[in-house]
Amino acid sequence: MQQLFSQLAQPEGEGWRIAESDILREWSKSGSATMDLLLMRGEEALDQGDVLGAIGHLTALTDHAPEFAAGYQARAVAYALNGDYGPAAADLARTLELEPRHFAAMTQLGAMLEEMGDDQRAMAAYRETLSIHPHQQEAIDGLARLEMANHGTDI
């Protein structure tokens, strides 16, 4: 996995795209077909706009696989979409506790903090994301947007 993160951080070339895909694929594997099915059902419910159904599936997942970071990260998405920022933040914290390099969770945290108006902490989250995954477009855009809003431009 370390080799994939090294490849992800390379500033040049397109190898980072393969590394990103491989990392995300590895993170989605719980080691249990049943748990993988719960993750898939939760993600499908999110895709269909059934946020409460997704929360149900993903809560079952986190209850039965408490060491599976992807379950918490996916449920954080559902909670945030439902406006439940406290539980979303708790799930992101658990995700990052289990996998400190989880760039998707870190970016999600930045976006949530930005939406809540906590620009300084949002920028810190985006910067942390970019220290792991310098090509993460949502973090790049978020950081640029917040830096512009907080620092303006010179005339």
Side-chain angles (χ1 to χ4, degrees):
M1 213 38 175
Q2 184 54 44
Q3 182 178 355
L4 290 174
F5 278 99
S6 294
Q7 189 175 356
L8 184 69
Q10 292 300 311
E12 297 173 3
E14 294 294 313
W16 67 269
R17 291 183 193 275
I18 296 167
E20 177 187 56
S21 178
D22 289 349
I23 290 167
L24 292 172
R25 187 175 23 263
E26 283 302 309
W27 281 346
S28 71
K29 296 177 186 175
S30 69
S32 162
T34 303
M35 297 305 109
D36 291 348
L37 180 62
L38 283 171
L39 178 61
M40 185 180 72
R41 285 188 176 164
E43 290 173 339
E44 286 174 354
L46 278 175
D47 290 344
Q48 295 169 0
D50 181 7
V51 174
L52 295 178
I55 291 170
H57 290 300
L58 298 167
T59 296
L61 173 59
T62 58
D63 287 349
H64 290 89
E67 302 300 313
F68 184 43
Y72 291 98
Q73 191 267 331
R75 190 172 68 173
V77 170
Y79 278 141
L81 288 172
N82 203 45
D84 298 326
Y85 293 124
D91 277 359
L92 291 174
R94 180 68 176 142
T95 302
L96 293 167
E97 180 182 312
L98 294 168
E99 177 48 78
R101 301 173 295 185
H102 204 298
F103 51 83
M106 189 65 64
T107 300
Q108 185 180 349
L109 178 61
M112 197 169 69
L113 289 166
E114 181 180 356
E115 189 170 321
M116 293 171 22
D118 192 343
D119 291 359
Q120 296 306 310
R121 289 177 55 205
M123 286 191 292
Y126 290 141
R127 284 185 185 110
E128 181 65 24
T129 297
L130 295 172
S131 74
I132 298 163
H133 184 351
H135 306 282
Q136 217 287 338
Q137 195 61 51
E138 188 177 343
I140 292 167
D141 294 344
L143 184 59
R145 184 174 48 250
L146 289 173
E147 285 178 340
M148 179 68 75
N150 285 280
H151 301 296
T153 58
D154 293 333
I155 296 179

